Amino acid sequence: MPAYFSIDISIRKKDIYEGIYADFIDLLQVQGLKFAGGYREFMDETLEEIISWNEEKLLEDFSIGVDEHYSHDFRQVCFDYRSFSEVRMFILNVKEDDEFNFIIIIPEDELIQVKGGRFSYKPEIMADLKQLIVKIWDFESVAAIQTTLELSGETTSVNDLEKGALPMIVPFAVIPKRWMNDDLGEGISVTPIAGDGVLLEDIQ
């Protein structure tokens, strides 16, 4: 299994509404992510079947048990997007938390390059992903967006972000302007965007 770049979208549970998953999928499809099927043995399920299953699970605040079979969990969705070999989205929910997450993953070796022993991102691909992230922020229920590589570490909870904790910015994040910490460190650009948000980007 490859290492993945992740776009982690946090939504507070108080902002769940009937139809939220369908609306989010619609947003992604407008941005060019075309539904390609389910994942694993659910690859032949229709988008409507996956939406219905996931909507019901979200509304009941489902969180899979430690010994429960993964087939009871939220369904993953596969997309065709750009020329990536794999783009998948899954839902992460812990019943005790105040938020759940839509997580989009892409093999990280398809968006990074090494030249002269130095690591960098492929600029054209990252420009498209940055645009996608800004469009996702337009989705009214989104509380924060963080991005990571496989070994970057865990994202920061919405509750901690609200208290001034730093988000994961590898290399992007979007948070409400009012949550921004003045101590972001060197090499982080800050761009105001719609919805009283700020796009944070590691430009080192």
Side-chain angles (χ1 to χ4, degrees), residues 26-39:
D26 284 347
L27 179 152
L28 296 181
Q29 293 197 108
V30 168
Q31 297 308 314
L33 284 79
K34 298 178 180 177
F35 175 71
Y39 185 59

Side-chain angles (χ1 to χ4, degrees), residues 11-193:
I11 298 176
R12 291 189 189 275
K13 290 181 180 177
K14 68 179 180 62
D15 294 324
I16 293 176
Y17 61 87
E18 189 170 351
I20 188 172
Y21 185 77
D23 288 348
F24 191 80
I25 293 291
D26 284 347
L27 179 152
L28 296 181
Q29 293 197 108
V30 168
Q31 297 308 314
L33 284 79
K34 298 178 180 177
F35 175 71
Y39 185 59
R40 291 185 170 176
E41 65 261 47
F42 309 109
M43 62 186 301
D44 293 327
E45 284 195 347
T46 67
L47 181 56
E48 290 71 22
E49 289 171 330
I50 294 171
I51 287 173
S52 177
W53 176 275
N54 285 343
E55 286 277 1
E56 183 177 343
K57 295 285 185 180
L58 279 173
L59 292 173
E60 68 183 36
D61 194 19
F62 176 80
S63 181
I64 194 163
V66 175
D67 299 322
E68 196 168 357
H69 194 268
Y70 70 82
S71 61
H72 298 161
D73 205 356
F74 295 98
R75 300 282 195 260
Q76 298 190 40
V77 176
C78 298
F79 295 100
D80 289 327
Y81 181 55
R82 289 185 52 99
S83 57
F84 292 123
S85 63
E86 181 182 11
V87 178
R88 245 187 309 135
M89 187 177 90
F90 59 92
I91 299 171
L92 181 63
N93 183 45
V94 177
K95 194 176 286 287
E96 294 76 23
D97 291 348
D98 296 328
E99 67 181 90
F100 68 93
N101 304 80
F102 292 151
I103 302 176
I104 300 168
I105 60 173
I106 301 166
E108 66 179 42
D109 63 359
E110 296 181 26
L111 47 84
I112 62 175
Q113 56 192 4
V114 179
K115 290 184 179 179
R118 295 194 58 170
F119 160 95
S120 65
Y121 295 102
K122 297 177 180 178
E124 182 180 337
I125 290 176
M126 299 313 288
D128 281 357
L129 292 177
K130 179 164 63 173
Q131 182 178 14
L132 172 64
I133 287 165
V134 170
K135 291 296 185 182
I136 290 173
W137 177 252
D138 288 339
F139 192 74
E140 188 173 351
S141 299
V142 171
I145 304 171
Q146 301 171 75
T147 61
T148 64
L149 295 174
E150 187 81 11
L151 299 178
S152 302
E154 295 186 358
T155 55
T156 306
S157 73
V158 167
N159 286 341
D160 287 342
L161 289 172
E162 191 171 16
K163 296 172 185 174
L166 295 177
M168 290 294 291
I169 314 170
V170 190
F172 306 119
V174 182
I175 57 173
K177 190 183 304 181
R178 65 186 182 277
W179 295 359
M180 197 173 74
N181 188 320
D182 291 333
D183 187 22
L184 291 172
E186 295 182 1
I188 303 296
S189 73
V190 180
T191 305
I193 58 175

